[in-house]
Amino acid sequence: RRSTRVDMATAAATDDVADVVVVDGADADVVELRAVERRATRAKSRAATTFGALEDGPAVRADAAMTAARRAHARAGVLEYDVDHRGVQVPSSARRFSMTASHRRVGASSVSLALYLDTVLQFGLLALVLAGINAYSLTTNVTDRAFTASYAVTGWDATAGADATTTCARTYETGGLVLSTSQGSRCGVPTLASFYNCPMRCDYEGAIGTFDATNACQTHYPCTLEKVLTTTQTAVCCVPRVAATVNKTPKEFQAVSIVVTVVFLLFDMFYTRNRATAAAIIKSSVVTASDYSVLVTGLGKGNEWTRQQIADFFSHYGEVVSVCHLTNTRRLVTMEREIKNAVQRRNEIQAILDDNEGANMDEKITKSILLRRQLYRMIALKGTKPTREALVKLDAKIAELKAKVVALGESGNSHLGSAVVTFNYEQHAINCCEDHCGDYGESIIDRCTGKHSPDFNGRRLIVTRAPEPSDINWQHLRRRDSNWEVVATAIGAKFVLAGALCVGGVIQYVFEVLRSNQLETITNEVAFQSTASTTSSIRLQLVASSTSLVVVIINGLLDRLTVYLAQLEVYKTKTIETNMLIATLTFVNLLNYVVVPIITNRCSSKADGVCNWYVPGGFVEYAFYLQVFNVLLLPLRNMNIKHIIQVKILAPMSKTLSMQESLVQPPAFQLARSYAELLKILGLSAIYAPALPVSYAVGVFGIFLLYWSKKYQGLYLTTAPPKLREDSFGITITARVINLLQILFGCLVFYRFDDGISTTLWANIGIWAVALIPIRRIRRLCIAQTQLANSTEDVSFVKNAGLHGGSTDDKTYHEMPEMRVTQSPEVTETRSRRVRTAFLCRMYQCEKSELMSKGRLGLYHPPIPTHASPEQLERLLKNYEPFGALVPANANYLPGQTQSTGGDNTAPPFSEKTRAKLDILASFQRRKRQQEHHL
């Protein structure tokens, strides 16, 4: 009898130690024969799967109850899953999250949503701390309130032969809840004090003997009311003067502003660290393809390096599973989307005509049904009238698009100079990143210091951890002879946005001028009245609130325009696109909410008493209403009216299941706009806080409302946002800008009249500048840090992806990310679905029956162009499919490779779990040998 011996290294390398069975004699031959037969059957089945043999089937009709469409809608949302021992989700356990679910639990299904909610929570705590710091200023403003209900009129009393002073009552409300909490309530800055509500002395400077001391209040009105005074009254008016004469900043402002800047600095440091920690915790609970992969750039545009050549180079760090060149997939992806939409509309129109409803679309029917049909035509059919002529045009358009796809040929497979390399173990991917430069800045430093990373055929490579497959903007991957097209598109989009901002600014300026004029008219009328008027007080509040509402509406339109223009620009990953969009949206928001209102409400540098910042209906109340409306309209902005119309009104009218599914498909969670909402709330609170400390209280309430509304939206109303990189560059940079704006506006706008304010300004800027020091990068360059794999627990990619027949130790039903997230939840056996299934079977090197029978990780590939030619699909598959067999590790060192990344470090790492398996197996074999020896 001969026995098969277990190779420990091989067993550990494939991570199938628990599945190794020691058999003897004929049993070993049978097992080996069956394994060969299975591999031959799979190879024959895969070879027989040709894309050209797949024919299209008839369009499936929709059901009135929308059962299938609603199931598809549920699958597309953010759901909670149980995970198996490998961290792979078990779809059969899908269920809705509760509103009290922790961020870690949410992160198992959507990392980006969990990190966003965690960020909102941290910013809420920041706003709460800042509100506590500014509580002293707020209470001081209330207790030191200097608004008066009277003013003094002085003049020479000829009868008494001396100056006489008469106290005149103000019959109107001089302050209010908002104004009482502002720093203007102290009336301590003459240039900002108003004759309307601050202490004032009105001096009559007319001819001697004309001062009426008895009826001074009804005779000698302030000359600032000349627009409502008669000629006779103007002749005997008095000249008003503010009581305060020294511009002096409140004593606590310097201390509070410095403490606030320090808090922002500490928050910047702790937030970045906490976000990285939270991301690590969340990522450790779920395994994805990016855990094993690196993104390589610098290969050269249009290069002809083969996948095998690149794999041989990177095999010096460990076993390589796959190499995927990033190619110009933009036109292929774009045209595939157009074909899909055209086919969908074509099938829907055909179904309408089959039901003899096409000719009756515009017949005399009730207005409600007519409106529904018009909406359906406009939204679902994109304005196409359901007629035979429209059907012929759509058929021609589909044929034309398919011909264009086929005509792409090899031009749709050009290399862009970047590639994704997937290792079999996460530790090898980490080692590879440690051995190469992570960006061009590090490359320049290495050149200056004489360090040389391993080069690939004379080319210096930039190697970073790869983005998630869902993070790659496949529709933006395109080839250009130069970057001028990218630059021209970006500049054109910025010019359009700048023009829109100018138009919006002009509209706001016009409304601000109208508001100021109306405010002056009403305040003059109120001051001239001898009795109190409730109507006038209400008019003052309406002036401030209505203008604030107009600004909120204008900003909402600019917000949508900014998002649309961002889609025209080119970003290789959605992380970069999101960060840029966050910064742009925040800039647009703050420009419209802060800069334009302040420019149109400037006060002179003289103590003329006409500044209307701190009067009822003035600039400060306007800023308060601006923040309140921005917060109160949050739930309305989160509502997707179009989607509600589609689900409630249009989906029941659909004739085909495909159209019905597309109408009920939930919208995507707008991650960039959600972050911009958060930063806008904090920005408005921080910038207006020096003048209105209660702004932070509004901000705390706004962030509280934002957190729960966005959590509800993300868990129940939208699809999960794509998994982005966990870096917080765009958020931290924007937060720093907000802190800088607070310093500048506080010192140069709200307290600019104080001669000693420059000391406070430069002290704050000095503290703020500390955040610009790249401490983490310096530390990373100066101190070598060894990273250890923690997400995958040293389980191989082959096993987690279910490749090469690798065991998954799991018999439950699993659903691959490609079928659940990146593709539409179709349930019909159309050609598109059959092509997609065949493509994935070829990618995972399995049969159709095995595709969904085991848990698998998503692989890197663009959206599958199901209407491409068979030759194009074969070329695409050849570029993105894993190698038929693992590229073995090469223990030889590359020139310049560090000792800790090559040699013995290319061997499979041993986790505690793997070591335990090996110990058990070795003990089992030892006992068996002892038994044989005794026999």
Side-chain angles (χ1 to χ4, degrees):
R1 296 175 60 186
R2 65 179 182 87
S3 67
T4 59
R5 301 180 62 84
V6 178
D7 186 346
M8 294 295 190
T10 304
T14 57
D15 205 14
D16 288 333
V17 178
D19 298 323
V20 175
V21 179
V22 181
V23 294
D24 296 323
D27 291 338
D29 296 333
V30 172
V31 170
E32 184 176 359
L33 179 61
R34 289 178 178 175
V36 171
E37 290 176 350
R38 281 198 304 270
R39 287 194 293 268
T41 302
R42 287 173 179 169
K44 183 177 180 181
S45 176
R46 290 194 295 270
T49 304
T50 58
F51 299 111
L54 301 174
E55 298 295 335
D56 204 353
V60 178
R61 300 297 292 262
D63 61 307
M66 299 196 301
T67 305
R70 293 187 186 281
R71 284 201 302 266
H73 175 276
R75 289 200 306 270
V78 179
L79 302 174
E80 184 176 15
Y81 297 89
D82 294 331
V83 295
D84 58 20
H85 60 281
R86 299 166 297 131
V88 179
Q89 297 174 347
V90 182
S92 58
S93 63
R95 58 190 178 275
R96 288 287 187 183
F97 282 99
S98 66
M99 284 292 289
T100 58
S102 66
H103 299 161
R104 184 171 183 176
R105 285 172 56 195
V106 174
S109 295
S110 177
V111 176
S112 295
L113 179 60
L115 290 178
Y116 170 74
L117 295 175
D118 189 69
T119 297
V120 176
L121 185 61
Q122 293 187 58
F123 272 80
L125 294 176
L126 171 65
L128 187 63
V129 171
L130 295 176
I133 294 172
N134 281 265
Y136 178 78
S137 297
L138 189 148
T139 55
T140 304
N141 291 338
V142 174
T143 55
D144 294 351
R145 184 178 185 270
F147 294 143
T148 61
S150 62
Y151 65 96
V153 178
T154 62
W156 179 261
D157 188 354
T159 304
D163 288 334
T165 300
T166 304
T167 301
C168 300
R170 288 169 170 160
T171 59
Y172 49 85
E173 175 62 41
T174 58
L177 182 61
V178 176
L179 291 179
S180 298
T181 61
S182 68
Q183 65 98 357
S185 67
R186 308 182 193 187
C187 296
V189 182
T191 49
L192 299 179
S194 173
F195 296 149
Y196 186 82
N197 52 7
C198 282
M200 176 188 76
R201 188 183 79 249
C202 199
D203 298 332
Y204 176 70
E205 299 176 351
I208 296 175
T210 59
F211 179 70
D212 187 358
T214 305
N215 299 309
C217 298
Q218 288 76 33
T219 304
H220 306 290
Y221 290 97
C223 294
T224 51
L225 303 177
E226 57 184 355
K227 292 185 178 180
V228 294
L229 297 178
T230 63
T231 305
T232 304
Q233 291 170 332
T234 303
V236 293
C237 67
C238 59
V239 179
R241 290 181 175 85
V242 293
T245 58
V246 179
N247 286 320
K248 188 175 182 180
T249 304
K251 290 183 294 185
E252 79 280 355
F253 173 72
Q254 289 89 341
V256 169
S257 64
I258 290 176
V259 172
V260 168
T261 305
V262 171
V263 169
F264 264 104
L265 175 63
L266 295 176
F267 176 79
D268 181 274
M269 299 169 60
F270 284 108
Y271 168 71
T272 306
R273 180 179 179 181
N274 291 342
R275 184 178 175 89
T277 303
I281 293 174
I282 292 173
K283 285 182 64 178
S284 64
S285 63
V286 62
V287 182
T288 60
S290 66
D291 294 326
Y292 298 90
S293 305
V294 297
L295 177 65
V296 182
T297 57
L299 295 171
K301 188 180 295 185
N303 70 84
E304 296 182 357
W305 307 114
T306 64
R307 300 171 66 210
Q308 188 64 46
Q309 288 175 309
I310 298 175
D312 290 340
F313 174 80
F314 285 98
S315 66
H316 289 272
Y317 297 95
E319 296 173 340
V320 177
V321 177
S322 174
V323 173
C324 304
H325 281 285
L326 297 186
T327 59
N328 56 328
T329 55
R330 172 183 174 271
R331 296 183 63 189
L332 197 62
V333 172
T334 302
M335 284 190 284
E336 174 65 24
R337 187 184 300 118
E338 292 179 5
I339 292 174
K340 178 183 175 182
N341 293 335
V343 169
Q344 190 178 71
R345 282 186 290 147
R346 189 255 178 223
N347 292 338
E348 183 69 15
I349 292 175
Q350 180 66 63
I352 293 174
L353 295 176
D354 291 343
D355 291 347
N356 296 321
E357 292 185 6
N360 303 325
M361 287 289 284
D362 295 325
E363 66 180 357
K364 292 184 178 180
I365 52 180
T366 62
K367 291 184 178 180
S368 61
I369 297 178
L370 179 61
L371 178 60
R372 290 178 59 190
R373 290 186 175 183
Q374 293 294 340
L375 280 174
Y376 189 80
R377 179 190 301 175
M378 181 175 61
I379 296 177
L381 301 181
K382 308 299 181 185
T384 305
K385 194 172 183 179
T387 60
R388 296 291 178 186
E389 293 76 10
L391 201 62
V392 173
K393 291 181 179 179
L394 281 173
D395 286 334
K397 181 180 179 180
I398 294 169
E400 180 184 358
L401 288 172
K402 288 183 177 180
K404 288 182 178 180
V405 171
V406 174
L408 286 176
E410 287 290 346
S411 63
N413 202 33
S414 300
H415 298 168
L416 300 180
S418 301
V420 175
V421 179
T422 302
F423 291 91
N424 199 26
Y425 290 94
E426 181 185 13
Q427 188 60 54
H428 296 157
I430 294 174
N431 293 344
C432 181
C433 291
E434 291 293 327
D435 213 29
H436 290 80
C437 298
D439 53 42
Y440 289 102
E442 291 184 12
S443 178
I444 294 174
I445 294 175
D446 281 0
R447 289 174 184 269
C448 296
T449 57
K451 294 175 63 177
H452 296 287
S453 302
D455 63 83
F456 176 70
N457 294 319
R459 304 191 69 91
R460 289 183 176 271
L461 303 178
I462 303 297
V463 181
T464 59
R465 295 301 294 268
E468 290 291 326
S470 62
D471 189 19
I472 299 177
N473 265 331
W474 299 100
Q475 69 273 19
H476 287 178
L477 298 183
R478 61 182 83 179
R479 182 178 182 181
R480 295 179 176 83
D481 295 330
S482 67
N483 290 326
W484 281 110
E485 185 179 346
V486 179
V487 175
T489 303
I491 293 176
K494 294 298 185 292
F495 269 112
V496 172
L497 181 59
L501 287 173
C502 291
V503 173
V506 169
I507 296 174
Q508 286 183 237
Y509 179 79
V510 171
F511 274 93
E512 283 297 316
V513 171
L514 294 175
R515 184 188 69 84
S516 298
N517 294 337
Q518 187 68 12
L519 177 63
E520 183 181 1
T521 301
I522 297 175
T523 53
N524 288 340
E525 293 176 358
V526 171
F528 185 71
Q529 292 172 355
S530 58
T531 57
S533 174
T534 305
T535 304
S536 298
S537 300
I538 296 176
R539 289 173 62 194
L540 287 172
Q541 299 303 314
L542 288 176
V543 166
S545 58
S546 60
T547 310
S548 303
L549 187 59
V550 169
V551 173
V552 172
I553 294 174
I554 293 175
N555 193 80
L557 296 176
L558 290 173
D559 181 274
R560 293 184 177 277
L561 178 63
T562 303
V563 174
Y564 172 75
L565 293 176
Q567 298 173 357
L568 303 180
E569 300 185 46
V570 177
Y571 302 101
K572 289 186 178 180
T573 65
K574 295 175 182 177
T575 298
I576 301 175
E577 181 181 4
T578 300
N579 282 329
M580 293 300 297
L581 188 55
I582 289 171
T584 306
L585 284 172
T586 307
F587 169 77
V588 171
N589 290 332
L590 296 181
L591 184 68
N592 284 277
Y593 279 115
V594 179
V595 178
V596 174
I598 288 179
I599 290 177
T600 54
N601 286 275
R602 289 183 62 84
C603 292
S604 66
S605 58
K606 297 180 181 180
D608 51 13
V610 297
C611 181
N612 62 7
W613 279 13
Y614 298 100
V615 300
F619 172 65
V620 169
E621 286 196 344
Y622 158 79
F624 174 78
Y625 285 120
L626 203 63
Q627 298 176 71
V628 170
F629 280 130
N630 177 60
V631 170
L632 294 181
L633 291 178
L634 268 176
L636 182 61
R637 289 199 296 271
N638 287 338
M639 291 178 59
N640 193 318
I641 305 300
K642 180 181 177 182
H643 182 252
I644 294 175
I645 294 174
Q646 289 180 180
V647 174
K648 301 296 183 182
I649 300 177
L650 304 185
M653 300 175 62
S654 302
K655 298 297 181 181
T656 60
L657 182 59
S658 176
M659 178 63 74
Q660 195 173 68
E661 287 179 342
S662 67
L663 290 174
V664 301
Q665 176 77 1
F669 186 85
Q670 299 293 328
L671 200 61
R673 296 179 68 177
S674 299
Y675 275 113
E677 286 280 6
L678 172 64
L679 294 168
K680 178 173 62 176
I681 293 173
L682 181 69
L684 291 177
S685 300
I687 293 173
Y688 283 124
L692 190 62
V694 76
S695 296
Y696 280 124
V698 179
V700 171
F701 174 72
I703 294 176
F704 173 83
L705 185 62
L706 178 70
Y707 177 85
W708 290 108
S709 62
K710 285 297 181 180
K711 191 171 187 179
Y712 180 83
Q713 182 187 35
L715 295 181
Y716 301 118
L717 302 180
T718 62
T719 59
K723 183 179 179 183
L724 309 182
R725 296 183 66 88
E726 65 272 11
D727 68 85
S728 55
F729 176 79
I731 305 166
T732 54
I733 289 297
T734 309
R736 293 172 189 173
V737 172
I738 289 173
N739 183 213
L740 179 62
L741 290 176
Q742 183 198 42
I743 296 170
L744 296 178
F745 277 94
C747 295
L748 301 180
V749 176
F750 299 116
Y751 294 100
R752 67 186 175 92
F753 307 105
D754 186 1
D755 296 334
I757 200 65
S758 58
T759 303
T760 305
L761 172 64
W762 290 111
N764 279 285
I765 290 179
I767 298 172
W768 175 85
V770 174
L772 302 180
I773 301 175
I775 299 175
R776 297 178 187 85
R777 173 165 291 190
I778 294 174
R779 181 182 178 186
R780 188 166 59 248
L781 293 176
C782 298
I783 303 175
Q785 299 177 349
T786 302
Q787 296 186 22
L788 298 177
N790 57 1
S791 298
T792 62
E793 296 183 354
D794 294 325
V795 179
S796 69
F797 180 86
V798 165
K799 181 174 181 179
N800 276 339
L803 296 176
H804 309 310
S807 172
T808 61
D809 295 335
D810 184 54
K811 303 303 180 183
T812 57
Y813 177 84
H814 282 75
E815 190 172 28
M816 291 178 297
E818 285 85 353
M819 303 296 288
R820 184 175 62 85
V821 179
T822 60
Q823 308 295 340
S824 298
E826 298 177 1
V827 297
T828 56
E829 274 297 315
T830 61
R831 179 183 184 276
S832 297
R833 184 170 179 82
R834 287 196 291 270
V835 168
R836 186 178 299 117
T837 301
F839 191 94
L840 292 175
C841 286
R842 296 277 295 276
M843 285 282 290
Y844 286 96
Q845 303 168 3
C846 67
E847 298 181 66
K848 180 180 178 181
S849 59
E850 298 176 333
L851 183 62
M852 311 295 281
S853 64
K854 59 176 63 175
R856 303 177 187 273
L857 297 181
L859 301 178
Y860 286 90
H861 63 82
I864 301 170
T866 56
H867 294 89
S869 66
E871 294 78 11
Q872 287 172 314
L873 290 169
E874 292 290 346
R875 283 194 294 267
L876 193 68
L877 185 65
K878 185 178 179 181
N879 182 53
Y880 289 97
E881 68 178 345
F883 293 113
L886 289 175
V887 177
N890 189 341
N892 297 322
Y893 283 93
L894 291 167
Q897 187 175 4
T898 58
Q899 192 77 16
S900 60
T901 61
D904 294 337
N905 294 294
T906 61
F910 286 92
S911 64
E912 295 297 328
K913 187 176 180 180
T914 304
R915 291 182 185 278
K917 289 180 180 180
L918 289 175
D919 291 341
I920 294 172
L921 185 59
S923 176
F924 172 77
Q925 291 179 327
R926 187 166 53 252
R927 288 197 304 269
K928 186 166 185 176
R929 286 195 299 269
Q930 291 175 354
Q931 292 174 357
E932 292 176 351
H933 178 71
H934 290 307
L935 292 176

